[in-house]
């Protein structure tokens, strides 16, 4: 369930207060979410590729119906999840840019 505008404003005020009171901790929390997001994105890219390869193998060995039911379904689900995670990463990056957060490494692009 999405937050109301009032709840979003309160959450933004709390986040800004945290950034002002302890910027090191706030950056650490941001980076820990980034690492998890990057792992998810890498896994989903691999799942899309694996689903595509599985679709081709199933199509060659068993025909169109198993290829569609298993391989294409896996590819489609992984691609939809990947789109969601990339959207979240982009939204986070844009929010940080709009807030004027200066880091050495942009959110969503670092590995550690």
């Amino acid at each position: 369930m999405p937050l109301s505008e009032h709840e979003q404003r309160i959450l933004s005020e709390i986040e800004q207060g945290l950034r002002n009171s302890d910027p090191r901790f706030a950056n650490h929390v941001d980076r820990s979410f980034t690492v998890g997001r990057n792992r998810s994105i890498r896994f989903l890219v691999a799942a899309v590729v694996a689903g595509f390869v599985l679709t081709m193998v199933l199509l060659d060995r068993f025909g169109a119906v198993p290829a569609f039911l298993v391989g294409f379904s896996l590819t489609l689900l992984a691609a939809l999840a990947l789109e969601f995670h990339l959207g979240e990463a982009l939204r986070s990056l844009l929010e940080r840019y709009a807030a004027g957060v200066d880091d050495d490494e942009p959110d969503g692009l670092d590995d550690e």
Side-chain angles (χ1 to χ4, degrees):
M1 178 160 93
L3 298 175
S4 69
E5 287 184 31
H6 177 69
E7 292 169 330
Q8 288 178 352
R9 185 172 40 84
I10 290 172
L11 183 58
S12 295
E13 290 173 3
I14 292 170
E15 288 175 357
Q16 192 59 40
L18 175 63
R19 288 190 191 287
N20 292 339
S21 66
D22 195 354
R24 233 175 114 195
F25 176 71
N27 284 335
H28 174 72
V29 170
D30 283 344
R31 289 183 191 277
S32 67
F33 282 113
T34 300
V35 169
R37 184 183 306 128
N38 286 343
R39 286 183 187 143
S40 296
I41 290 172
R42 286 186 192 116
F43 173 77
L44 290 169
V45 167
V48 168
V49 171
F52 180 74
V53 169
L54 183 62
T55 301
M56 294 298 114
V57 169
L58 290 174
L59 189 60
D60 183 51
R61 302 270 185 202
F62 300 106
V65 174
F68 175 76
L69 290 176
V70 178
F72 182 73
S73 298
L74 173 67
T75 304
L76 182 63
L77 290 174
L80 290 173
L82 179 62
E83 187 274 332
F84 173 77
H85 282 283
L86 287 174
E88 288 290 314
L90 180 60
R91 221 175 342 272
S92 175
L93 181 63
L94 292 175
E95 286 173 3
R96 290 173 56 90
Y97 179 75
V101 176
D102 289 329
D103 279 340
D104 292 338
E105 298 173 357
D107 187 34
L109 300 176
D110 57 335
D111 287 334
E112 298 178 345

